[in-house]
Every structure is written in C-alpha cells, then in structure tokens.
Amino acid sequence: NMLISKSLFVDYKEFPKLAWWKQNNMPVYKKIRGLENEEQSEQLIELWQKVEDLVWDYFLKKFWLERLDVFKDNEAKNPLDEEDEDMTLIAPDYKTKRDNNLKRTIEAIKSKKPLIYQPGFLIDNLFVRWDYLKLNENWNYDLIEVKAKTHVRKEKTHQKIKNKNAWELENKFMSDISFQKYVINKVFAENWLWEIENFYYAYLNWNYKKQWNIDLNKIIILDQVDIESKVLLLWENSDKEFSRKDFLLTPLVVEDIVKQMRKELILDEDAFNKIHFFSWSKYLEYFWKDRDFWTIYWKGLTSPVAVRKLHFENKTFIDELTQEDQELFNKSDWSIWSARQYIINYLEAKQKWDLIDNESIKLELDDIKYPICLYDYETLCVPIPFLDNTSPYQQVVVQYSLHKVYKNGDIEHFWWVLVWDWEKNVKQLKIEENTNKVGFESEKVITWSYRDLLDEFVADIWEDFDKTFIVWYKAFENTRNKEIAETFDDLRGKFEMINENTYDLMDIFSKWYYYSLDFKGSNSIKYVLPALVPEMSYDWMWVPNWLVAMNTLNQIFEWKLSSEEREKQIKNLLLYCWQDSLAMYKIYEKIKEQLD
C-alpha cells in the first residue's frame, strides 16, 4: 500500500508526471525541480527553517509561547525535509524516528501543550507533517502551516488590487491544505481528539520594508483558510467589497485522487504515458530532456495545438516538416513574434549564413549617445531581509560592473560589491585575474549599507545620466532602478533618468535582426557571446551563473566563509559581474563592425 505524503499529492495534482518521476526516479525529479546538488538542497532547507523560526519568534513575543519540538531527534533529515518524507522511509532507521514523531505528537496534543512544532500524522499510509499546532483561547488547536513565500493566493480579477490578502488560494496551496486537513481530521477522529478549529498559512509580507530590527507584527501574515469572509478591495478608482470563500477539496475528492495515485504511480513509464498524454506545456517534466532548438519542442514554439499534433504524428525535427506542417504555426501567439517566423529563420539560416538585417540594426543604434554606460547588476534575494530599506525576496542590488565608453575610444571600468560588516568601509582590491583591463580600473568592496553602494554607482556615472545606458534584458535592471527610486526619494530623478535612457542590447537578437544557429535558439548573453566573441566565454569562471552568484553572496553576508575564502569569493563575484558588462561591450563592438 503506497505511502502518500502531502508533497507527492500536491505534485500529482499540479502535474501527474511530476509525481511519477518523484516516485520512480528521485534524481530526475530533483533535477526537474532545479536541485542539481546537495548544497542547493541544504540551502533550501536552511531558507525554510529561517522562516519557521521567525514565525516561532512571532508566537514567542506575542503570546509568550515556547515551542515543543516533537521531531527533535530526527537530525538526519532528507535533503528536502518534509517535502520528500515519502522517500526517506527507505532509510533503515527512519521508520523508528517517524514513529517517535507520531507518538510524541499525540501525547503533546492530549497534554494540551500550547505550541507544538513539527507534529506528524499518519493514517491509511497517508502522511503529513505540519509546522505548528497552537492552542487557542477555546482550548482547541489551530494549525499553522509556514510557507517561505510572500503569497499563497492568486489574483481574483485582472483589475489592479493592492490588497494581496484578497486573492483566492493558488491551486497547489489549495491541494496542500485539503490533503492535510483530510489526514489530520481522520487522525483526530481515530484518537478521539478535538477537531481542529482553524487552519492558517503563515507567510511573509511582500510589502514590508526593514528598518533596523525586524518588526514581527508587520513581516508575518497569518492568513486564515477555509472561512467565508468579506474583504475590502482597494481598486484603482473605487473600493469594492468582495466575498471570499476557500473551496477546498472534499474528503471524497481527496480519496478518489489517492486511489488514482496508487493505481498509476506503480506503472512503468509507457503505461503511465498512455493514461496521461503529453500536453505540450511541460516538456521538461514530461520527457526529462533538453528542448533542442531544432525540434518542435523548443520553448519558443508556443503553439500547443501544432506541437501536440506533430508529436503524436512522430514528427520531431523542424527541417523535416512539410509546408502544411509549418503552417500549423502561422497564428501569432502572445509574444512579439510568431512561432512560424522562428521556423522560417531556422530553415533559412540552415541554407546559408547568419541572417543579419543591417538596416534595422542601424535604426536601433542611431540614438546612442556617448559616453555609453554598459552596466550589469547582481542581486541578493533572501526571504528575511537583513539590509535596511529592503523587503522579503526583494532583488537587492549588492554588486555592479560599469564600463563607460567615450566617443574617442577611451574606456573606464568601475566594479563594486557590497558585503556586510559592522563598520562602514571602502576597500580597494587588486584583481590579477582581470585579463581585460581597460584604461582606468576601480575595483572595490563596500561594507555597511545598501545606500552606500547606490551612492558609489551614482558617483561613477557622474554627470552622464542623459547619455545612453546599455544592459542585457532591461526588464531586470529597470525594475531594480524603479525599486530604488521608490525607496530613496532623493535618488528618484537619477534612476528614472537611467531608465529613460536605457537601451536593451538583447533587442537586436530577440527581434531577430541578427539570427545565427550558433545562438542555439536563445537570446541569452551566455549563448550570443561565444558565438560572436569566441575568445570570451563563461567556462573558466568560478561563478558560472546568477544562481551560484546569489548563493555565494548570501554565504558572504552571513559570514559562513573563512576570511581567506571570503576574499577569494568576493574576487570571483566581481569577475563574474565584470564579464557581463565587458561582454556587452564586445558584442556591441562586433555589431558596429558588421554595420561598418
């Protein structure tokens, strides 16, 4: 009788094949979820734990409640903690630990312990482990599930709403709490316990801005689930009252889904696929292989009817499609270009050289004003902010690289990184690994505050705010600049001017004015750079991508590295950010050469 955990149930409801991978091939499942190594798994656990502890601090300071940890001897947790409880049962000693958890949970409830942490519930081989059981003023228990997120609800309407609490539960959270409620109510009934009175999600307030110490009353949102209530929505032009009710899955529906899971998840892959056909939208989860840009499965061919039809006709490769097959992609989708145009470009590029529209590129670059400021931000994104004037999960700029190019060919380069320390300081670094030094180099480490880094950035731009700023994928940098303008009113004008004068170099490639098979169907600088500037690549770097950069920054901020390792990683981070702004300049040069 297959054991079904909450996370397996939620995965099945979200996408059945995902649950099949989880049950039958855990390494593949982890890769689909983006967990390439144990370090990433551990970082996720640590992230969740910090938010759970923050909620405990909230209860401690508001109600003076110490928590009783009924899972305290289970130090050897699975890398994904309770999210993969079902997989840990294969460990020989885990059943004993789990049984102790179940026993302690019932004992604590019967003893009316005021705050129970990590209670476990098992019945009919259905298992859940909740975050907190809290005794309320009626001497009944409330269940609080902590999510290291800033929302559990989705938008109710397309009109702008400022009150995020007014939204209905996202599907995965609806499935999550429905399954947990079903299991826990059955356990309580079997043990002649009281019914659970209230169900809550505890999560982080996305709108909270830290000022000195964390304000627990403002950063934590306790969101009661499965009740009917009136909510006042703040509309753009007028207020409107809205009746909200969370429609959870009924016990009968949960039981039917559990029966389906026990029948289907034991099947081999071919048999499972005959029940749950490929539906186009989740190629990675379904097949677990790369979406090659020369196939119908490439992520840019967002035409579900066409992809499904060709898939079931066993037509995979673009250059094998008939004219009739290609015409299935004729209808433009939501993006600025059609899937059919991509197919036309791909087939044309296979017949000859790169496709380059010099006239359109020239029009794009005609308004460039010198000196050009090519810059790149690196950010830190954590659930609990530790820098003043920042919010949960805000992409906080803690590093930048700026290449300033003058009309006469002179280049200046400024690169800075912010790290946490108790003293305000600016330290000059010398990075020998910088093999592409320009006429002027300024490489420094700033300690103290977020604002200090921004002031240095403004000083490096100096009086050139009305010139051209070049980035790659401006939605990211422009959004950061908007957040800075909203936070620091005295900087608003400067950062708004940066956005007004920003050109996105990626546009030349995303609009297909320059198309090459060497880009492998991507507009990412990681693909365009080695194709146009083969002498430059990211392969040699100790920090290969933004995720590693963010995790490294987090380790530096939390003082998890020795002094020697800290300085080494700071240099690696600076080199990574430097590579992006230099790469833009090298690509810009190549484009100008092409025009000339």
Side-chain angles (χ1 to χ4, degrees), residues 152-170 229 231 233 235 240-247:
V152 296
R153 298 184 177 277
K154 59 186 176 181
E155 196 173 353
K156 179 68 182 175
T157 172
H158 293 296
Q159 287 186 260
K160 184 177 179 182
I161 299 176
K162 297 176 183 176
N163 183 355
K164 281 184 87 84
N165 296 333
W167 302 354
E168 63 184 30
L169 281 176
E170 287 187 6
S229 60
V231 180
L233 305 187
W235 302 83
K240 183 178 180 180
E241 197 171 61
F242 166 64
S243 278
R244 187 185 80 190
K245 169 69 176 171
D246 296 318
F247 295 99

Side-chain angles (χ1 to χ4, degrees), residues 8 52 61 75 94 229 266 313 348-349 370 382 423 494:
L8 190 66
E52 288 178 8
K61 290 179 180 176
E75 57 275 81
Y94 191 80
S229 60
I266 60 172
E313 292 176 0
E348 191 175 346
Y370 285 88
V382 293
E423 292 184 18
K494 290 182 172 65

Side-chain angles (χ1 to χ4, degrees), residues 356-403:
I356 305 174
D357 183 349
N358 283 331
E359 191 59 37
S360 294
I361 294 174
K362 186 176 184 302
L363 287 172
E364 288 278 307
L365 302 182
D366 266 352
D367 294 330
I368 296 289
K369 293 184 290 185
Y370 285 88
I372 306 170
C373 296
L374 302 104
Y375 78 98
D376 177 66
Y377 286 151
E378 294 302 328
T379 59
L380 186 63
C381 177
V382 293
I384 303 170
F386 45 77
L387 291 171
D388 283 351
N389 299 302
T390 64
S391 303
Y393 288 113
Q394 180 180 335
Q395 297 274 6
V396 181
V397 178
V398 292
Q399 186 178 350
Y400 69 86
S401 176
L402 167 68
H403 279 85

Side-chain angles (χ1 to χ4, degrees), residues 314-447:
N314 294 315
K315 295 178 179 178
T316 297
F317 300 103
I318 290 174
D319 55 4
E320 294 177 352
L321 300 181
T322 66
Q323 189 69 22
E324 186 180 357
D325 294 334
Q326 294 174 34
E327 288 172 0
L328 293 172
F329 294 93
N330 274 348
K331 185 178 179 182
S332 294
D333 54 67
W334 56 267
S335 61
I336 61 173
W337 46 266
S338 70
R340 177 67 190 283
Q341 187 59 50
Y342 173 78
I343 292 172
I344 292 169
N345 287 352
Y346 173 81
L347 294 174
E348 191 175 346
K350 280 205 75 176
Q351 298 301 316
K352 56 182 185 181
W353 300 106
D354 298 343
L355 310 180
I356 305 174
D357 183 349
N358 283 331
E359 191 59 37
S360 294
I361 294 174
K362 186 176 184 302
L363 287 172
E364 288 278 307
L365 302 182
D366 266 352
D367 294 330
I368 296 289
K369 293 184 290 185
Y370 285 88
I372 306 170
C373 296
L374 302 104
Y375 78 98
D376 177 66
Y377 286 151
E378 294 302 328
T379 59
L380 186 63
C381 177
V382 293
I384 303 170
F386 45 77
L387 291 171
D388 283 351
N389 299 302
T390 64
S391 303
Y393 288 113
Q394 180 180 335
Q395 297 274 6
V396 181
V397 178
V398 292
Q399 186 178 350
Y400 69 86
S401 176
L402 167 68
H403 279 85
K404 190 184 284 190
V405 182
Y406 293 87
K407 198 161 191 176
N408 65 1
D410 289 348
I411 306 177
E412 296 175 339
H413 180 220
F414 308 89
W415 41 343
W416 304 70
V417 62
L418 172 68
V419 297
W420 174 246
D421 206 338
W422 294 105
E423 292 184 18
K424 187 170 183 175
N425 192 20
V426 176
K427 178 183 177 184
Q428 186 79 42
L429 284 183
K430 189 171 181 62
I431 303 180
E432 301 296 343
E433 296 88 341
N434 180 7
T435 56
N436 284 277
K437 291 183 185 292
V438 296
F440 173 82
E441 291 282 346
S442 178
E443 44 210 33
K444 295 181 181 179
V445 175
I446 301 170
T447 58

Side-chain angles (χ1 to χ4, degrees), residues 218-264:
K218 292 182 179 178
I219 194 173
I220 299 294
I221 291 177
L222 275 182
D223 191 335
Q224 190 169 357
V225 178
D226 200 24
I227 60 165
E228 188 162 4
S229 60
K230 295 283 186 183
V231 180
L232 183 66
L233 305 187
L234 305 177
W235 302 83
E236 288 183 320
N237 300 317
S238 61
D239 295 346
K240 183 178 180 180
E241 197 171 61
F242 166 64
S243 278
R244 187 185 80 190
K245 169 69 176 171
D246 296 318
F247 295 99
L248 303 186
L249 302 176
T250 66
L252 284 176
V253 170
V254 172
E255 287 167 2
D256 285 343
I257 294 168
V258 166
K259 286 176 187 174
Q260 285 177 273
M261 292 174 68
R262 286 183 167 145
K263 283 181 188 175
E264 295 172 3

Side-chain angles (χ1 to χ4, degrees), residues 331-590:
K331 185 178 179 182
S332 294
D333 54 67
W334 56 267
S335 61
I336 61 173
W337 46 266
S338 70
R340 177 67 190 283
Q341 187 59 50
Y342 173 78
I343 292 172
I344 292 169
N345 287 352
Y346 173 81
L347 294 174
E348 191 175 346
K350 280 205 75 176
Q351 298 301 316
K352 56 182 185 181
W353 300 106
D354 298 343
L355 310 180
I356 305 174
D357 183 349
N358 283 331
E359 191 59 37
S360 294
I361 294 174
K362 186 176 184 302
L363 287 172
E364 288 278 307
L365 302 182
D366 266 352
D367 294 330
I368 296 289
K369 293 184 290 185
Y370 285 88
I372 306 170
C373 296
L374 302 104
Y375 78 98
D376 177 66
Y377 286 151
E378 294 302 328
T379 59
L380 186 63
C381 177
V382 293
I384 303 170
F386 45 77
L387 291 171
D388 283 351
N389 299 302
T390 64
S391 303
Y393 288 113
Q394 180 180 335
Q395 297 274 6
V396 181
V397 178
V398 292
Q399 186 178 350
Y400 69 86
S401 176
L402 167 68
H403 279 85
K404 190 184 284 190
V405 182
Y406 293 87
K407 198 161 191 176
N408 65 1
D410 289 348
I411 306 177
E412 296 175 339
H413 180 220
F414 308 89
W415 41 343
W416 304 70
V417 62
L418 172 68
V419 297
W420 174 246
D421 206 338
W422 294 105
E423 292 184 18
K424 187 170 183 175
N425 192 20
V426 176
K427 178 183 177 184
Q428 186 79 42
L429 284 183
K430 189 171 181 62
I431 303 180
E432 301 296 343
E433 296 88 341
N434 180 7
T435 56
N436 284 277
K437 291 183 185 292
V438 296
F440 173 82
E441 291 282 346
S442 178
E443 44 210 33
K444 295 181 181 179
V445 175
I446 301 170
T447 58
W448 192 242
S449 80
Y450 175 37
R451 173 60 190 256
D452 292 325
L453 183 90
L454 301 176
D455 287 338
E456 293 297 337
F457 183 58
V458 168
D460 292 340
I461 294 168
W462 192 40
E463 58 184 15
D464 299 315
F465 288 91
D466 61 341
K467 303 304 187 287
T468 299
F469 292 82
I470 293 181
V471 296
W472 198 280
Y473 185 58
K474 72 178 182 182
F476 181 79
E477 268 77 16
N478 279 17
T479 302
R480 305 291 76 78
N481 291 337
K482 285 178 184 175
E483 291 166 352
I484 292 166
E486 289 168 2
T487 302
F488 302 103
D489 196 58
D490 59 321
L491 296 179
R492 181 184 298 274
K494 290 182 172 65
F495 281 87
E496 286 179 346
M497 196 179 297
I498 291 174
N499 281 0
E500 288 169 10
N501 292 293
T502 291
Y503 176 69
D504 191 345
L505 193 59
M506 191 181 78
D507 281 355
I508 290 171
F509 306 94
S510 63
K511 294 177 181 177
W512 293 339
Y513 299 148
Y514 199 134
Y515 179 89
S516 171
L517 296 181
D518 293 335
F519 301 157
K520 300 178 181 178
S522 174
N523 303 315
S524 166
I525 198 169
K526 304 295 189 294
Y527 290 93
V528 174
L529 178 66
L532 296 188
V533 191
E535 64 271 21
M536 284 188 72
S537 78
Y538 287 79
D539 295 340
W540 63 276
M541 306 194 75
W542 287 99
V543 179
N545 57 55
W546 68 269
L547 184 58
V548 174
M550 188 182 294
N551 289 336
T552 304
L553 280 163
N554 196 29
Q555 288 178 324
I556 290 170
F557 265 80
E558 296 192 354
W559 288 92
K560 292 182 177 178
L561 305 174
S562 66
S563 297
E564 184 179 342
E565 182 65 17
R566 196 167 188 259
E567 184 153 333
K568 174 186 170 184
Q569 293 295 0
I570 286 171
K571 288 182 178 181
N572 289 337
L573 287 165
L574 283 167
L575 284 167
Y576 172 71
C577 197
W578 154 79
Q579 176 95 340
D580 276 351
S581 62
L582 181 65
M584 284 188 283
Y585 173 61
K586 293 293 186 180
I587 292 169
Y588 179 76
E589 276 190 320
K590 289 289 183 182

Side-chain angles (χ1 to χ4, degrees), residues 94-122:
Y94 191 80
K95 185 177 183 302
T96 301
K97 293 179 179 180
R98 187 203 66 195
D99 289 346
N100 287 340
N101 177 225
L102 299 174
K103 181 181 175 184
R104 284 201 196 100
T105 296
I106 298 300
E107 289 173 352
I109 293 170
K110 289 182 175 178
S111 301
K112 293 281 189 178
K113 297 297 182 184
L115 188 65
I116 305 169
Y117 179 58
Q118 296 286 299
F121 303 91
L122 177 70

